[in-house]
Amino acid sequence: MASFVIEGGHRLNGEIHPQGAKNEVLQIICATLLTKEEVTVNHIPDILDVNNLIQLMREMGVDVAKTGVDSYTFKAENIDLAYLESEEFLKKCSSLRGSVMLIGPMVARFGKALISKPGGDKIGRRRLDTHLVGIQNLGADFRYDEERGVYEITAERLRGAYMLLDEASVTGTANIVMAAVLAKGTTTIYNAACEPYLQQLCRMLNRMGAKISGIASNLLTIEGVEELHGTEHRVLPDMIEVGSFIGMAAMTGSEITIKNVSYENLGIIPESFRRLGIKLEQRGDDIYVPAQDSYQIESFIDGSIMTIADAPWPGLTPDLLSVMLVVATQAKGSVLIHQKMFESRLFFVDKLIDMGAQIILCDPHRAVVIGHNHGFRLRGARLTSPDIRAGIALLIAAMSAEGTSTISNIEQIDRGYQNIEGRLNAIGARITRI
C-alpha cells in the first residue's frame, strides 16, 4: 500500500492544468458501446478508475487503442457476450463504481446486462433504484440474485416512455439516456440531472446520430433511433480538481493560476469559494488566485452563520464539500457544512480535529467549522484516505500543516487525481510517494 509523505508549510507558485473530468469520462467510455463504429475520446485522465474501466472494455472485446498522450479510440464491433456473463467480469464490476453505467448501453444494444453490485468510495449508501427503475420503465425485465449479488436486466426491444425520476441522479440519468437513444419511440425524462457531464454525454450522443432535446435542463426528450455512428469527443476539465486547487492555494497562502478551466461550466463553484472569503478572478478561461494571508467567511444578509450545502446542479457539487470544509479551518469566522447526499462523507473530520482543527460534527450530515484565521496552523499527523475527495482534502490539510504528515491508502486519491504529487511538486509542494 502506497503512502504520501508531505512536508507542510511550503507555498505554491505558478501554473497548473486540470485533468479531464473523471465523472464525465466514465460515462463517455461506457457510451462507446452503443455503436460498432470507432469513437475517439480526447483529454482522458490517467487515473486508476478510468484505467480500470478501459481495461475492462478491452476484456469485453472492445478494440481500444491509445493514439496520443491522453487520447484513445474505442471500437465496440465484436463484443464477447459470453465474457459478460462470466464470474471474472462480475468480480471486476464489483470493484469499479463506474461499471454501473454499462447497463444502459448493453441492454440497449445487446438486449441483456449482467452486473454485480458496484463498489467505489465508502461514503454511505449509493442506491441503484433510479438506474434500474428507469430502465424498467423502458420495458426491461429486472432480476436481482441476492446470493451472488448480481443484477440481471433483459429486454427484447426497449420502448420509449415518460418517467419522473425520484432523484436527479447523474449516473442514473446517464444510464437511462444511453438506454433510451436506441429504444423505439419517444422517451421523456423529468427531474433529469443536468450537470455539465450529462450535457457533454448528450451532445456526444447527438453527434453519433441520437435525437436528444432539452440538453442542460431537467427535462430531456429522446427520440429513439435504429443505430448510432462513430464520432470524436473532448472531455471537459475536471471541475473538482479546479476547486481543489483553489482551496489548496487559499490554505497555503499561495499565488497560482489554474489554466483552461472551462469557466462557463464551473457553475456556482467560484462563488462558493468567494463566500469563504477567497479572492479569485477569471482571466480569459483561466482562474488566478492571489496569495492571501487571511480570508473571512461571509455571513448571510441577516447576519446568521454561513451555510454551505450540496445540491443537484446548478447547485454545489457534493464532491467539493470535503475541500471546502478543510479550507474553512483556516478562515476567519464560522461556517456550517451540510452534506445532504451522503451520510458518511464527513467522518474524516476526526483526523482534522487530531491536527488541531476546531470542528463540531453535529451528525453524519453536518459539521460546524470554527476557523483559526491562520493564527494557529494545523499539526502534521499520520492520516488515512477513506475516499477520493476526503483524500485530496487531507492532502490540502497536510500541505498547510506545521511539520510532516503521512497519508496512507493513497490508492483512493489515485482513483481520481492524475500524478497529483508530480504536478504539485512542480509548483512548490514537497510530497514524496513511498
Side-chain angles (χ1 to χ4, degrees), residues 421-432:
E421 77 276 20
R423 290 189 290 153
L424 293 177
N425 287 342
I427 58 172
R430 301 279 179 87
I431 306 168
T432 306

PDB file of all heavy atoms in Angstrom, residues 421-432:
ATOM      1  N   GLU A 421       1.043  14.302  -7.047  1.00  0.00           N
ATOM      2  CA  GLU A 421       2.251  14.782  -6.375  1.00  0.00           C
ATOM      3  C   GLU A 421       3.232  15.412  -7.368  1.00  0.00           C
ATOM      4  O   GLU A 421       3.884  16.407  -7.081  1.00  0.00           O
ATOM      5  CB  GLU A 421       2.921  13.664  -5.555  1.00  0.00           C
ATOM      6  CG  GLU A 421       3.716  12.635  -6.340  1.00  0.00           C
ATOM      7  CD  GLU A 421       2.869  11.508  -6.915  1.00  0.00           C
ATOM      8  OE1 GLU A 421       1.643  11.691  -7.048  1.00  0.00           O
ATOM      9  OE2 GLU A 421       3.438  10.456  -7.240  1.00  0.00           O
ATOM     10  N   GLY A 422       3.323  14.835  -8.582  1.00  0.00           N
ATOM     11  CA  GLY A 422       4.227  15.396  -9.590  1.00  0.00           C
ATOM     12  C   GLY A 422       3.819  16.793 -10.009  1.00  0.00           C
ATOM     13  O   GLY A 422       4.654  17.700 -10.121  1.00  0.00           O
ATOM     14  N   ARG A 423       2.534  16.974 -10.222  1.00  0.00           N
ATOM     15  CA  ARG A 423       2.051  18.283 -10.672  1.00  0.00           C
ATOM     16  C   ARG A 423       2.174  19.331  -9.566  1.00  0.00           C
ATOM     17  O   ARG A 423       2.486  20.491  -9.833  1.00  0.00           O
ATOM     18  CB  ARG A 423       0.601  18.165 -11.151  1.00  0.00           C
ATOM     19  CG  ARG A 423       0.483  17.385 -12.466  1.00  0.00           C
ATOM     20  CD  ARG A 423      -0.915  17.465 -13.048  1.00  0.00           C
ATOM     21  NE  ARG A 423      -1.874  16.725 -12.257  1.00  0.00           N
ATOM     22  CZ  ARG A 423      -3.173  17.008 -12.207  1.00  0.00           C
ATOM     23  NH1 ARG A 423      -3.653  18.050 -12.859  1.00  0.00           N
ATOM     24  NH2 ARG A 423      -3.988  16.274 -11.493  1.00  0.00           N
ATOM     25  N   LEU A 424       1.917  18.933  -8.309  1.00  0.00           N
ATOM     26  CA  LEU A 424       2.019  19.900  -7.210  1.00  0.00           C
ATOM     27  C   LEU A 424       3.468  20.196  -6.850  1.00  0.00           C
ATOM     28  O   LEU A 424       3.816  21.342  -6.536  1.00  0.00           O
ATOM     29  CB  LEU A 424       1.255  19.379  -5.986  1.00  0.00           C
ATOM     30  CG  LEU A 424      -0.262  19.290  -6.153  1.00  0.00           C
ATOM     31  CD1 LEU A 424      -0.905  18.692  -4.917  1.00  0.00           C
ATOM     32  CD2 LEU A 424      -0.870  20.662  -6.449  1.00  0.00           C
ATOM     33  N   ASN A 425       4.327  19.178  -6.904  1.00  0.00           N
ATOM     34  CA  ASN A 425       5.747  19.419  -6.631  1.00  0.00           C
ATOM     35  C   ASN A 425       6.354  20.386  -7.639  1.00  0.00           C
ATOM     36  O   ASN A 425       7.274  21.155  -7.315  1.00  0.00           O
ATOM     37  CB  ASN A 425       6.523  18.100  -6.637  1.00  0.00           C
ATOM     38  CG  ASN A 425       6.251  17.249  -5.405  1.00  0.00           C
ATOM     39  OD1 ASN A 425       5.758  17.752  -4.393  1.00  0.00           O
ATOM     40  ND2 ASN A 425       6.566  15.971  -5.472  1.00  0.00           N
ATOM     41  N   ALA A 426       5.825  20.369  -8.877  1.00  0.00           N
ATOM     42  CA  ALA A 426       6.351  21.257  -9.924  1.00  0.00           C
ATOM     43  C   ALA A 426       6.084  22.726  -9.613  1.00  0.00           C
ATOM     44  O   ALA A 426       6.768  23.610 -10.155  1.00  0.00           O
ATOM     45  CB  ALA A 426       5.736  20.883 -11.273  1.00  0.00           C
ATOM     46  N   ILE A 427       5.114  23.006  -8.716  1.00  0.00           N
ATOM     47  CA  ILE A 427       4.846  24.411  -8.363  1.00  0.00           C
ATOM     48  C   ILE A 427       5.157  24.695  -6.896  1.00  0.00           C
ATOM     49  O   ILE A 427       4.670  25.689  -6.348  1.00  0.00           O
ATOM     50  CB  ILE A 427       3.396  24.816  -8.715  1.00  0.00           C
ATOM     51  CG1 ILE A 427       2.362  23.928  -8.007  1.00  0.00           C
ATOM     52  CG2 ILE A 427       3.172  24.790 -10.228  1.00  0.00           C
ATOM     53  CD1 ILE A 427       0.924  24.418  -8.168  1.00  0.00           C
ATOM     54  N   GLY A 428       5.960  23.835  -6.259  1.00  0.00           N
ATOM     55  CA  GLY A 428       6.483  24.183  -4.944  1.00  0.00           C
ATOM     56  C   GLY A 428       6.115  23.298  -3.781  1.00  0.00           C
ATOM     57  O   GLY A 428       6.608  23.489  -2.655  1.00  0.00           O
ATOM     58  N   ALA A 429       5.246  22.284  -3.997  1.00  0.00           N
ATOM     59  CA  ALA A 429       4.888  21.389  -2.901  1.00  0.00           C
ATOM     60  C   ALA A 429       6.049  20.444  -2.602  1.00  0.00           C
ATOM     61  O   ALA A 429       6.964  20.276  -3.404  1.00  0.00           O
ATOM     62  CB  ALA A 429       3.639  20.601  -3.247  1.00  0.00           C
ATOM     63  N   ARG A 430       6.011  19.805  -1.427  1.00  0.00           N
ATOM     64  CA  ARG A 430       7.010  18.799  -1.049  1.00  0.00           C
ATOM     65  C   ARG A 430       6.285  17.518  -0.666  1.00  0.00           C
ATOM     66  O   ARG A 430       5.945  17.312   0.499  1.00  0.00           O
ATOM     67  CB  ARG A 430       7.857  19.304   0.132  1.00  0.00           C
ATOM     68  CG  ARG A 430       8.619  20.595  -0.113  1.00  0.00           C
ATOM     69  CD  ARG A 430       9.908  20.389  -0.879  1.00  0.00           C
ATOM     70  NE  ARG A 430      10.591  21.645  -1.122  1.00  0.00           N
ATOM     71  CZ  ARG A 430      11.455  22.206  -0.269  1.00  0.00           C
ATOM     72  NH1 ARG A 430      11.726  21.608   0.883  1.00  0.00           N
ATOM     73  NH2 ARG A 430      12.046  23.352  -0.556  1.00  0.00           N
ATOM     74  N   ILE A 431       5.996  16.712  -1.680  1.00  0.00           N
ATOM     75  CA  ILE A 431       5.238  15.472  -1.480  1.00  0.00           C
ATOM     76  C   ILE A 431       6.060  14.316  -2.028  1.00  0.00           C
ATOM     77  O   ILE A 431       6.496  14.352  -3.182  1.00  0.00           O
ATOM     78  CB  ILE A 431       3.873  15.529  -2.198  1.00  0.00           C
ATOM     79  CG1 ILE A 431       3.084  16.766  -1.784  1.00  0.00           C
ATOM     80  CG2 ILE A 431       3.055  14.257  -1.933  1.00  0.00           C
ATOM     81  CD1 ILE A 431       1.867  17.050  -2.656  1.00  0.00           C
ATOM     82  N   THR A 432       6.258  13.289  -1.219  1.00  0.00           N
ATOM     83  CA  THR A 432       7.013  12.112  -1.643  1.00  0.00           C
ATOM     84  C   THR A 432       6.120  10.889  -1.573  1.00  0.00           C
ATOM     85  O   THR A 432       5.437  10.664  -0.570  1.00  0.00           O
ATOM     86  CB  THR A 432       8.239  11.890  -0.747  1.00  0.00           C
ATOM     87  OG1 THR A 432       9.023  13.083  -0.723  1.00  0.00           O
ATOM     88  CG2 THR A 432       9.085  10.717  -1.238  1.00  0.00           C
TER      89      THR A 432
END
